[in-house]
Amino acid sequence: MDEDSEISELQFGFAYQTVAERLKRGKTDVDSCVEVCTIIDESFPLVFDRFKQLGLPIACKPNCSWCCSIRVELLPHEAIAILRYIQTELPAEVRESVLAKIPANAKQIEGLTREQHRATNVECALLTDGKCSVYPVRPMQCAGHHSCDVAACEAGFRQPDKNTPSIPTLVPLQEIKGATISGASEALKVGKLKPQWVE
């Protein structure tokens, strides 16, 4: 087994155990959802740092938000954690702004296909001044996302109707992200919770 596959397998197990120990039908509460999201989110920077040490290019950095208009799907426990974070951690003016943008965005993208959504460049409702307002509990789809080239991300944002993916990514990191999501989803099933994706 090569090192990338081993890391993916470890990340699957880590996500599975994190979710399985905390989320079960009849025993899941809001605090558990927040804890799961925080623990899993904190694992991605550690993985990314390892790849950076190997000299692989990861261009993502604070205040870079070119990809924060793409469609993101999340699991119910992630939505619960985000709502709790909005309600308890955001300053009042930021909270009010975010809570106003969420239904406005939903109305704007209602009925759009994935391709149409991509072409609209609707900024994520959780983005505030170029930063994710719920960063510590952001969905796995966001936490595991990365780019190798900021210029390509900007070009893709400025020409969102292109049919080709605009964010160049590293295959091993895509696999690690996929393994994390699969581990969490499998643990939800075992805990008799439905891993239903929502936008």
Side-chain angles (χ1 to χ4, degrees):
M1 179 185 296
D2 65 22
E3 186 176 7
D4 294 343
S5 297
E6 186 176 346
I7 294 172
S8 290
E9 190 173 303
L10 287 170
Q11 193 69 7
F12 176 96
F14 166 76
Y16 181 94
Q17 183 176 356
T18 299
V19 172
E21 289 177 354
R22 294 165 180 84
L23 304 182
K24 296 178 179 68
R25 182 182 293 276
K27 296 183 180 179
T28 294
D29 58 23
V30 175
D31 291 335
S32 299
C33 294
V34 173
E35 185 180 10
V36 164
C37 292
T38 302
I39 291 170
I40 290 178
D41 276 14
E42 288 172 350
S43 73
F44 282 109
L46 299 175
V47 172
F48 287 4
D49 285 346
R50 171 153 183 74
F51 277 79
K52 286 178 185 176
Q53 289 169 4
L54 295 172
L56 297 174
I58 299 176
C60 302
K61 58 186 178 184
N63 293 317
C64 181
S65 58
W66 296 115
C67 66
C68 295
S69 61
I70 60 177
R71 180 186 178 111
V72 174
E73 293 183 335
L74 63 160
L75 291 165
H77 71 275
E78 294 179 302
I80 291 167
I82 288 170
L83 182 58
R84 163 61 72 84
Y85 193 88
I86 290 170
Q87 291 173 333
T88 62
E89 301 297 327
L90 297 186
E93 65 279 3
V94 176
R95 179 172 60 248
E96 290 171 13
S97 172
V98 167
L99 291 176
K101 286 192 289 185
I102 290 172
N105 277 20
K107 185 174 182 181
Q108 188 173 355
I109 63 174
E110 185 179 4
L112 296 182
T113 65
R114 287 180 181 271
E115 293 74 23
Q116 290 168 331
H117 185 180
R118 185 171 185 274
T120 61
N121 271 348
V122 177
E123 180 181 277
C124 177
L126 305 174
L127 201 65
T128 302
D129 296 328
K131 295 180 182 177
C132 178
S133 63
V134 297
Y135 191 83
V137 293
R138 65 204 187 281
M140 290 179 286
Q141 293 279 4
C142 298
H145 199 60
H146 70 285
S147 171
C148 303
D149 184 354
V150 174
C153 296
E154 180 178 359
F157 176 84
R158 298 198 185 283
Q159 297 179 9
D161 57 341
K162 289 174 18 178
N163 292 323
T164 55
S166 59
I167 301 174
T169 59
L170 297 169
V171 171
L173 285 179
Q174 286 179 317
E175 290 172 352
I176 289 167
K177 173 183 168 182
T180 307
I181 292 169
S182 295
S185 298
E186 189 62 30
L188 289 174
K189 291 177 192 173
V190 171
K192 302 195 183 321
L193 294 169
K194 191 173 182 180
Q196 181 176 351
W197 292 95
V198 294
E199 185 174 4

